[in-house]
């Protein structure tokens, strides 16, 4: 048996692609990566390093059309007689994985955070109740689909580049026309970031974000914000984390001038380590944090930037 | 324009999360249920706005038991025209989606809207599954939806950017923040909701693909370690040596 991993490759290969292949490899069967669009074959071949034995690429299908992608993966499943499909739980997977689940009659674990356990049935751990608990989802069908939450597993290089083959997945016509796409601008994408520096209304105004960006730059972190900050336009919407924004689970989340409302925590409580910086000793964030600094962000953050600079210099 | 809006119940965000029966069931004791925010604020309100500008009908549908009629009445009070309840406990996304898809197929709609995800199970599955059952395009996590005749223009957020797509009706879309603004039902709406039609339909199949077999709570956080604001070198050292994250 083999496992198919669907890779979105329109912006090159991100860390989440390597995570998904590593995850599939750890499931123990032959791993075949499938993608659509016009990514460079030399780039796609790198998936071999993480455990793929080959990459199938359908260059005729529209990489933004969920119906076409679903058909391509279904063809790949039948031509390779795979019985498992792995996705990274991104925007594309959120549309394609449920469709494929219906098409293949395969139970879907959406947002898995662990490798499957096979004692007493096939099951995976997911976040439920906005990260306040974990659930164990048991898949009852013969075919199985897992959509892996980013940053749940470390990519591991285990092999060398693999072959990349053209594949015709009979995608049919596209019913979705993409009128325009504003591509990400080279910054670290928030859901994939291992380190995140985030700030809230405690910063008083957008002109004060310079020190947050400095800290992020020194750490190699992405930046995020609380919802009111995005709502009043101090920061772009895609930085908004929380229940109504992006849910992230970086290794380190530094929250500056954010109170720690339950709806904010819902998007960040999967972080491995949380640092809260707040003037108010009673701020709820300190209950969710591992390290706390009671102090004024305008004093503390510049000091922290200097400390990180010193650390970076001594580690080089 | 005939629009079907899928609404689900969700525990109020401040609800205490606990489990019973050896951690296999969600403890509903004292839990206040609300309409899943994405379904109410974005999917339903946008559907009503479309109806108000170009005319049509907004039907809400939920797979749930009698207790869920409270959230159905709330959605009717906000302005939906009529409601359908499929009488079952929705334990699996495919089960839920296949019931809704069957109803949608038999009653042909121009647009089917769902929320981005339910805030209890956060699966983002039901919309895509309905679309596949109906063989329709699915625009996931749409933040904007405009109609011009039978052509719809939708925006969705991609990582760090925005994509604009065009599809023809019929289609399915899941709705995220940006789509519309929350509406508070007024007294007239609440009164009118009492007499709006609510049809209860039995389940059509019992096929399930998955089930939640157990739950666990995260380990209790150890107390937060407080660092002197004058000593950021210590914080960096702890993040490096103790937490090992930098
Ligand atoms: C249904 C619903 C969904 C929501 N979804 C989200 C969501 O997804 N994400 C989200 O973030 N919020 C969400 N919210 C809003 C949430 O409840 C809070 O209102 C919000 O998170 C507060 O943002 P904040 O912490 O930046 O601002 P505030 O609550 O105003 O807190 C500012 C903090 O900064 C501190 N501070 C002030 N000055 C300084 C200083 N000089 N130095 C250091 N600290 C300082 C203060 O002590 C305070 O703790 C939602 C709310 C609802 C009702
Ligand atoms: N029991 C249900 N009845 C009707 N619609 C539902 C139900 N469960 C989920 N949905 C819809 O599907 C969307 C996605 O749900 P989920 O796949 O559970 O994240 C929700 O926002 C609702 O619009």
């Amino acid at each position: 048996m083999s496992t198919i991993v669907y890779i979105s490759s329109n912006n090159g290969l991100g860390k989440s692609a390597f995570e998904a292949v590593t995850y599939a490899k750890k499931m123990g069967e032959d791993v075949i990566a499938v993608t659509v669009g016009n990514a460079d074959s030399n780039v796609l071949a790198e998936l071999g390093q993480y455990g793929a034995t080959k990459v199938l690429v359908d260059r005729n299908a529209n990489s933004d059309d969920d119906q076409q992608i679903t058909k391509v993966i279904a063809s790949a499943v039948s031509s390779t007689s795979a019985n498992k499909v792995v996705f990274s739980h991104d925007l594309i997977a959120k549309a394609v994985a449920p469709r494929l689940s219906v098409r293949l009659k395969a139970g879907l674990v959406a947002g898995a955070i662990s490798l499957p356990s096979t004692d007493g049935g096939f099951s995976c751990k997911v976040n439920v109740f906005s990260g306040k608990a974990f659930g164990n989802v048991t898949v009852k069908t013969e075919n199985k689909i897992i959509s892996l939450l980013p940053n749940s597993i470390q990519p591991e290089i285990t092999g060398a580049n693999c072959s990349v083959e053209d594949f015709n997945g009979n995608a049919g016509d596209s019913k979705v026309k993409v009128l325009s796409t504003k591509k990400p601008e080279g910054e670290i994408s928030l859901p994939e970031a291992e380190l995140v520096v985030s700030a809230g209304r405690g910063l008083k105004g957008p002109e004060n974000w310079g020190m947050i960006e400095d800290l992020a730059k020194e750490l190699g972190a992405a930046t995020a914000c609380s919802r009111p900050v995005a709502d009043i336009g101090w920061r772009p919407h895609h930085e908004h984390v929380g229940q109504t924004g992006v849910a992230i689970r970086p290794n380190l989340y530094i929250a500056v001038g954010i109170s720690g409302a339950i709806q904010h925590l819902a998007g960040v409580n999967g972080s491995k380590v949380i640092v809260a910086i707040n003037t108010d000793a009673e701020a709820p964030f300190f209950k969710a944090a591992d390290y706390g600094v009671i102090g004024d962000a305008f004093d503390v953050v510049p000091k922290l930037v200097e400390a990180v600079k010193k650390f970076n210099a001594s580690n080089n | 324009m005939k629009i079907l809006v899928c609404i689900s119940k969700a525990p109020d965000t401040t609800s205490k999360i606990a489990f019973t029966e050896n951690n296999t069931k969600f403890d509903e004791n004292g839990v206040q249920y609300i309409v899943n925010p994405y379904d109410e604020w974005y999917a339903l309100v946008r559907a009503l706005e479309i109806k108000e500008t170009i005319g049509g009908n907004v039907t809400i549908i939920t797979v749930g038991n009698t207790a869920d009629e409270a959230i159905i009445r709330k959605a009717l009070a906000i302005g939906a025209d009529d409601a359908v309840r499929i009488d079952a406990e929705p334990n699996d996304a495919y089960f839920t989606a296949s019931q809704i898809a069957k109803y949608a197929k038999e009653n042909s709609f121009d647009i089917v809207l769902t929320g981005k995800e339910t805030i209890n199970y956060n699966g983002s599955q039901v919309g895509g599954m309905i679309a596949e059952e109906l063989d329709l395009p699915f625009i996931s996590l749409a933040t904007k939806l405009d109609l011009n005749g039978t052509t719809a223009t939708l925006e969705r957020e991609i990582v760090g950017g925005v994509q604009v797509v065009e599809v023809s009706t019929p289609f399915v879309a899941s709705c995220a923040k940006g789509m519309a603004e929350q509406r508070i039902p007024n007294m007239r709406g609440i009164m009118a909701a009492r007499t709006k039609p609510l049809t209860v339909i039995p389940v059509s199949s019992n096929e399930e693909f998955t089930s939640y077999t157990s739950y666990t709570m995260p380990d209790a956080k150890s107390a937060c370690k407080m660092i002197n604001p004058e000593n950021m070198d210590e914080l960096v050292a702890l993040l490096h040596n103790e937490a090992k994250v930098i």
Side-chain angles (χ1 to χ4, degrees):
Chain A
M1 279 299 173
S2 51
T3 302
I4 298 244
V5 185
Y6 180 74
I7 302 290
S8 9
S9 59
N10 8 358
N11 298 311
L13 296 179
K15 179 166 161 269
S16 56
F18 302 137
E19 291 171 0
V21 175
T22 302
Y23 182 93
K25 173 79 181 166
K26 283 182 186 286
M27 282 163 60
E29 288 166 353
D30 186 37
V31 177
I32 298 163
V34 173
T35 189
V36 304
N38 42 31
D40 187 334
S41 293
N42 293 322
V43 172
L44 293 176
E46 284 172 31
L47 294 169
Q49 297 174 17
Y50 299 87
T53 50
K54 65 177 169 190
V55 182
L56 303 178
V57 47
D58 187 328
R59 299 200 177 274
N60 297 314
N62 174 352
S63 56
D64 292 299
D65 184 316
D66 52 295
Q67 277 180 297
Q68 289 194 310
I69 298 172
T70 304
K71 285 180 190 153
V72 170
I73 303 171
S75 318
V77 164
S78 70
S79 70
T80 57
S81 63
N83 65 350
K84 293 185 198 73
V85 181
V86 174
F87 291 87
S88 175
H89 198 52
D90 57 12
L91 182 83
I92 291 167
K94 282 178 185 175
V96 175
R99 299 198 80 113
L100 192 69
S101 168
V102 170
R103 185 165 281 251
L104 300 179
K105 295 222 164 285
L108 163 62
V109 182
I113 56 171
S114 74
L115 278 162
S117 141
T118 45
D119 30 292
F122 182 101
S123 70
C124 277
K125 204 168 162 183
V126 299
N127 287 319
V128 290
F129 298 98
S130 304
K132 283 183 252 174
F134 304 114
N136 235 339
V137 181
T138 298
V139 180
K140 305 195 238 182
T141 49
E142 185 64 36
N143 292 327
K144 294 166 178 77
I145 304 175
I146 297 171
S147 184
L148 174 70
L149 210 63
N151 215 15
S152 300
I153 183 173
Q154 274 304 316
E156 282 174 24
I157 293 186
T158 51
N161 283 11
C162 64
S163 65
V164 178
E165 296 169 16
D166 278 334
F167 177 73
N168 178 359
N170 297 313
D173 292 335
S174 178
K175 289 193 216 161
V176 178
K177 193 160 115 200
V178 177
L179 300 181
S180 69
T181 304
K182 198 184 132 246
K183 291 264 160 124
E185 289 143 11
E187 54 195 58
I188 303 170
S189 100
L190 196 48
E192 286 189 357
E194 290 185 2
L195 309 176
V196 174
V197 181
S198 183
R201 213 145 51 173
L203 252 66
K204 316 268 185 307
E207 67 281 6
N208 298 326
W209 247 264
M211 61 183 184
I212 299 298
E213 281 165 359
D214 288 345
L215 179 57
K217 195 166 144 253
E218 287 306 322
L219 286 168
T223 50
C225 68
S226 68
R227 167 162 143 179
V229 161
D231 281 350
I232 40 187
W234 292 358
R235 297 298 292 175
H237 263 300
H238 66 254
E239 282 197 1
H240 155 200
V241 292
Q243 185 197 306
T244 42
V246 191
I248 55 173
R249 48 201 328 267
N251 295 341
L252 173 63
Y253 183 74
I254 302 181
V256 184
I258 304 177
S259 56
I262 192 157
Q263 297 90 357
H264 183 85
L265 296 178
V268 302
N269 56 11
S271 308
K272 291 186 188 78
V273 173
I274 294 178
V275 176
I277 301 173
N278 201 303
T279 40
D280 177 6
E282 302 295 315
F285 229 130
F286 290 123
K287 294 209 173 62
D290 302 277
Y291 301 100
V293 183
I294 301 167
D296 187 334
F298 296 91
D299 295 332
V300 174
V301 176
K303 287 199 178 104
L304 182 54
V305 173
E306 287 315 308
V308 175
K309 272 191 186 150
K310 221 160 76 189
F311 169 81
N312 287 343
S314 68
N315 268 275
N316 275 340
Chain B
M1 208 44 64
K2 268 185 82 182
I3 308 177
L4 183 66
V5 180
C6 305
I7 64 164
S8 166
K9 69 171 176 192
D12 184 2
T13 40
T14 55
S15 300
K16 192 176 161 287
I17 304 301
F19 302 96
T20 57
E21 296 182 30
N22 219 353
N23 286 327
T24 58
K25 280 222 154 55
F26 175 53
D27 184 358
E28 294 196 302
N29 227 321
V31 170
Q32 186 77 34
Y33 279 102
I34 55 170
V35 186
N36 186 44
Y38 298 106
D39 311 354
E40 175 189 331
W41 303 350
Y42 309 134
L44 175 59
V45 176
R46 188 66 196 130
L48 295 172
E49 289 171 353
I50 292 171
K51 177 196 143 177
E52 284 154 11
T53 32
I54 61 171
N57 188 80
V58 176
T59 301
I60 51 165
I61 187 164
T62 193
V63 180
N65 48 36
T66 335
D68 298 340
E69 292 190 2
I71 64 147
I72 294 178
R73 291 292 169 204
K74 166 102 190 269
L76 288 171
I78 295 170
D81 296 292
D82 46 60
V84 175
R85 178 170 70 83
I86 296 171
D87 192 20
E89 195 62 52
N91 288 324
D92 168 56
Y94 174 73
F95 171 81
T96 304
S98 60
Q99 308 294 329
I100 296 172
K102 179 164 184 287
Y103 177 82
K105 218 178 269 175
E106 287 164 3
N107 293 275
S108 59
F109 291 89
D110 301 298
I111 303 176
V112 178
L113 296 180
T114 73
K116 164 189 163 187
E117 64 186 18
T118 44
I119 60 169
N120 36 357
Y121 294 106
N122 310 91
S124 243
Q125 302 188 47
V126 170
M129 289 179 171
I130 295 172
E132 184 67 20
E133 287 277 347
L134 300 175
D135 195 23
L136 293 179
F138 175 54
I139 312 304
S140 54
L141 313 198
T143 50
K144 208 159 175 264
L145 159 59
D146 289 311
L147 271 176
N148 185 355
T150 56
T151 306
T153 311
L154 296 106
E155 279 186 21
R156 58 180 163 193
E157 263 169 41
I158 54 172
V159 176
V162 176
Q163 184 176 69
V164 185
V165 300
E166 190 181 276
V167 286
S168 298
T169 56
F171 64 89
V172 182
S174 70
C175 305
K177 188 182 165 205
M179 188 64 107
E181 293 291 331
Q182 181 180 10
R183 282 190 187 178
I184 311 291
N186 58 25
M187 210 50 206
R188 241 181 72 216
I190 294 168
M191 297 302 286
R194 294 191 185 155
T195 53
K196 285 180 179 172
L198 162 60
T199 315
V200 179
I201 304 181
V203 291
S204 49
S205 96
N206 283 311
E207 195 176 3
E208 287 187 355
F209 288 176
T210 62
S211 67
Y212 278 88
T213 35
S214 64
Y215 298 92
T216 42
M217 295 300 285
D219 297 335
K221 274 256 172 194
S222 48
C224 179
K225 203 175 254 183
M226 289 300 175
I227 318 287
N228 181 337
E230 297 302 323
N231 196 353
M232 285 303 101
D233 290 330
E234 187 195 349
L235 176 60
V236 171
L238 285 168
L239 292 176
H240 179 63
N241 300 320
E242 186 179 82
K244 298 189 168 44
V245 288
I246 60 171

